[in-house]
Each structure stands twice: as structure tokens, then as C-alpha cells.
Amino acid sequence: MNRPILASIDTQAFAHNLNRVRELAPESKIWAVIKARSYGHSFDAALKGLGSTDGFALLDIQDAVWLREHGWQGRILLLEGLFHENELALAQELNCDLVVHCDAQVGWLERYADKVHKPINVFLKMNTGMNRLGFTPDNYRTVFHQLHAAGYHMHHMTHFANADQVNQEPTVGSQLELFDQTIQGLEGSTSLANSAAILWHRNALGDWVRPGIMLYGASPTGLYADIEHAHLKPVMQLRSEVIDIQNLRKGDRIGYGGRFCAPEDMRIGIIACGYADGYPRHAKDGTPVWVGNSAESSDGVICPLVGRVSMDMLTIDLRNAPHSNIGSLVELWGSKVPVDEVARMSGTIGYELLCAVAPRVPVAIK
Ligand SMILES: *Cc1c(COP(=O)(O)O)cnc(C)c1O
């Protein structure tokens, strides 16, 4: 038997969440964002669960190669375009759509223009206030016409800085206004909305939406309460087992630094999951862990984390689960313990935990 830790990926939940995006953005096509190994869920699982998307958006051209080799014939968008000029031929062969965000990339495309045998779709990125990638509205139209004249099929893209917050500058409204003004009279489709915009700014969807985190059933804000009623399902269950039990006496301390001190005689469960698996080392005492008889059953209880998370193990207070034993199943996050709740107890957001699931954790796709 292997070490019992597992990331179990529910492809039906993927399909459900994708449908939810369709309901929220019925007029838009969908770029399913699968950067960072599909937010830690594996490309295999994404291809299986999200196969009815219109396109996949990702970062690394090698991942586009993988998608084509595994039979994906739909659109692929390279979210940051090319990193080097020498990737252009491959991008064309793979039939990728390209984001173009800087002058260097424009130069590469212009030099390549006479080698283009079928038109390449370019999503030209406008910096409307995020100030990360893209052309300022002042330069945008010039670049647009330049690439259009070189024979590229031009589209428009921007990215919101605060679609998950109210009244924080730059607001969605201000970015949207700048975007709309700047592209006035230009042809081409538009792409603006990330998950937060799809959920909360339905006036800002555009022709192609770009959902990421909501496809994985986690919250754009990092707070589970914000998506509790959005009908999304968590796709990953990170699970493991109790591999040992300690009977502490009142006053005993547990783990590195002795952070937790037993208030009474009590049982402690040792779980095969640590920070080298991607569980956050900063998780505080009280972070919820679910303990049950089987991974699917709901007859389990929450047993709080106690003591510092170590590399390969963590420890939980078993007082709520008197019948638990070595071999009892444990959900670290999933449908019983929202990943955002673990994240909140560790000072981060669900995105970071999902992406950080370590390669050593086996993935099971169901
Ligand atoms: C990651 C990313 C997204 C998806 O964002 P979510 O908040 O996960 O929905 C959309 N657009 C771009 C450009 C991105 O980099």
C-alpha cells in the first residue's frame, strides 16, 4: 500500500461548475483557465471534466502541446502570449491564440507575418488599471492597427484588479469604461471577466469569459461564505488517513515547538499529510479537519488541527471522534471542509493551497 494521501478529483463537479458559468454568462464563450496544472487538479482531470468548454487558457506552450497530443481540438489561448520569439512556429502549428501584451511581442509577430499560413488570433491586452501587463489606452489603438495590418485577427482583452471587492480603485466600472472607450469602432471580440466578474459583475462579461477559480469550486475572495450560495461544487478532495494515535495526558505538549498543550487527557490523531504535500504550515490550531468512516460518507465530524504542521504529518484533536482509529479517513479539504476555510486559517486564499498541492500527492480522477 502507498502512503494514504490522495487528491481525488471529481470530474462531474468540474462539469457542473462549467455549466454554472454557462448559466451566468449565457451569451459568452468560455476560456476555461487551467494554468498551474489546472490550479493543482492536473491537466488530465481538466480535459476530462471541462471538455465541453469552448477553449482552454494556459501559460506554457508545452501544456498546449500536451492538450493537442491528448486530442483537444478546440481553441487554446496562451494567456501571456509567447515568452520567446522562437516559440512562434510551434504556436502556429498548434493553432494557439496569443495574448500580446508588450512591444517585444509585437515585433516578433511583425517579423513573422509573412510566414503565417493561416491567420493567428491575437487577444491584444489593454492595461486599464491593473498595471501588470498590457498597452496603455493611449498606445492601444496604434498597436491594434499595426498587427491588423500585418494580417493578424485581432481581439481585445483586459483584466480586472478588483472584481472581488466593492469600491476599491481601480473599480470594475472605471476599467470597463476605459476599455469600451478605447476599442470603440474597432472590430474583434472581447474578453474581460475572471470568476469574480462572472459572479458579481454581469455587465462586464464580454464575448469570452475567463473563469478560473470558480471552475474548481473555490472562492475568488478567498472566503467560502461569498460563494456558499453560488451553486459551485468543490472539485478536489484532499484526503488521507489516521496513521497513529497518541494518548496525551493533561499538560502534555505536541509537535515542534510544543505549540499545543493538552487541556485534559485526550486522544490525538496523526495524519499522513504535511507541508511537503501542500498543506499550509501556517495553519492555526482549530483549523477544521474532517474525520469519517469513508471518504464519501457524511457521517463524520470536524476535528480541529492542534500543534504545528510538520513536513509529512499533522496532528488533530480526536475528542469529537471517539470511535476513530488508525485507518480512519480524513478530509483535509473538499466538500466537508472548504479549501478557503483552511486558507483563511493560514492567512491565504484557496487559490494558493490548490496550486501548491505537491507533485508527490497522487491524483485520482473519478
Ligand atoms: C488566472 C487568470 C484568470 C482566472 O482568474 P480567476 O480569478 O481564477 O477566475 C483570468 N484571466 C487571466 C488573465 C488570468 O491570468
Side-chain angles (χ1 to χ4, degrees):
M1 271 293 276
N2 295 327
R3 189 165 169 258
I5 191 165
L6 186 69
S8 174
I9 309 298
D10 178 356
T11 53
Q12 284 178 1
F14 256 149
H16 168 92
N17 295 339
L18 186 66
N19 269 335
R20 208 42 208 131
V21 175
R22 291 239 184 258
E23 285 170 13
L24 291 167
E27 318 266 274
S28 306
K29 291 190 174 175
I30 302 176
W31 291 121
V33 178
I34 56 167
K35 59 199 181 187
R37 290 182 296 145
S38 298
Y39 291 44
H41 293 62
S42 86
F43 288 118
D44 296 270
L47 188 54
K48 184 162 178 217
L50 299 172
S52 69
T53 184
D54 301 291
F56 285 112
L58 44 79
L59 288 187
D60 197 322
I61 198 164
Q62 287 313 320
D63 299 330
V65 171
W66 187 94
L67 279 178
R68 291 297 185 224
E69 280 174 359
H70 288 76
W72 175 249
Q73 297 181 343
R75 303 268 287 266
I76 298 178
L77 176 66
L78 297 182
L79 270 177
E80 294 176 11
L82 304 172
F83 298 101
H84 300 284
E85 186 167 8
N86 63 12
E87 292 169 335
L88 242 169
L90 180 57
Q92 156 116 305
E93 188 186 315
L94 296 169
N95 208 3
C96 290
D97 294 11
L98 303 178
V99 167
V100 168
H101 61 77
C102 67
D103 289 325
Q105 291 176 332
V106 174
W108 303 340
L109 287 184
E110 286 192 315
R111 274 201 290 282
Y112 192 77
D114 53 359
K115 296 195 203 85
V116 174
H117 43 81
K118 59 186 160 186
I120 295 178
N121 285 304
V122 167
F123 280 78
L124 192 61
K125 186 132 181 202
M126 192 192 306
N127 174 12
T128 52
M130 177 82 171
N131 289 319
R132 201 175 53 178
L133 298 179
F135 298 93
T136 59
D138 286 345
N139 297 325
Y140 185 86
R141 293 182 71 98
T142 312
V143 177
F144 182 93
H145 289 304
Q146 228 175 312
L147 288 176
H148 182 74
Y152 293 95
H153 278 196
M154 300 304 293
H155 309 276
H156 312 280
M157 172 173 167
T158 195
H159 191 57
F160 295 124
N162 293 306
D164 61 328
Q165 298 183 75
V166 182
N167 290 334
Q168 172 66 48
E169 292 288 333
T171 62
V172 169
S174 70
Q175 290 192 258
L176 184 61
E177 198 181 321
L178 207 50
F179 183 79
D180 283 343
Q181 270 171 15
T182 308
I183 68 169
Q184 227 172 51
L186 300 178
E187 62 190 65
S189 57
T190 58
S191 178
L192 302 92
N194 56 7
S195 298
I198 294 164
L199 287 165
W200 301 310
H201 299 273
R202 241 82 70 59
N203 60 330
L205 297 180
D207 300 314
W208 284 84
V209 291
R210 302 193 304 273
I213 197 72
M214 68 184 292
L215 294 176
Y216 306 95
S219 173
T221 61
L223 294 176
Y224 174 68
D226 292 331
I227 57 155
E228 198 174 348
H229 305 293
H231 306 291
L232 299 171
K233 291 185 182 165
V235 175
M236 181 192 297
Q237 182 192 46
L238 182 65
R239 69 185 195 217
S240 188
E241 290 178 10
V242 175
I243 58 164
D244 199 357
I245 291 189
Q246 290 292 331
N247 292 291
L248 298 196
R249 310 294 303 269
K250 180 179 178 182
D252 286 349
R253 289 179 176 273
I254 185 153
Y256 290 118
R259 183 174 81 183
F260 179 79
C261 181
E264 59 182 329
D265 292 2
M266 62 188 287
R267 290 198 323 148
I268 295 287
I270 318 299
I271 313 302
C273 177
Y275 63 77
D277 300 299
Y279 196 92
R281 200 186 77 97
H282 288 103
K284 293 204 239 339
D285 287 347
T287 303
V289 175
W290 181 89
V291 179
N293 296 319
S294 84
E296 275 73 35
S297 73
S298 50
D299 61 340
V301 287
I302 296 296
C303 293
L305 178 96
V306 289
R308 238 185 237 167
V309 173
S310 51
M311 186 183 287
D312 310 312
M313 285 171 271
L314 56 81
T315 42
I316 61 176
D317 172 353
L318 286 180
R319 283 178 292 179
N320 289 342
H323 303 298
S324 58
N325 215 326
I326 292 178
S328 288
L329 271 141
V330 166
E331 177 181 292
L332 286 319
W333 60 67
S335 57
K336 289 118 185 162
V337 178
V339 66
D340 287 303
E341 191 52 23
V342 180
R344 192 180 65 79
M345 293 294 280
S346 327
T348 184
I349 54 179
Y351 290 82
E352 187 180 4
L353 300 192
L354 294 173
C355 294
V357 170
R360 84 175 189 184
V361 175
V363 176
I365 299 168
K366 65 168 198 300

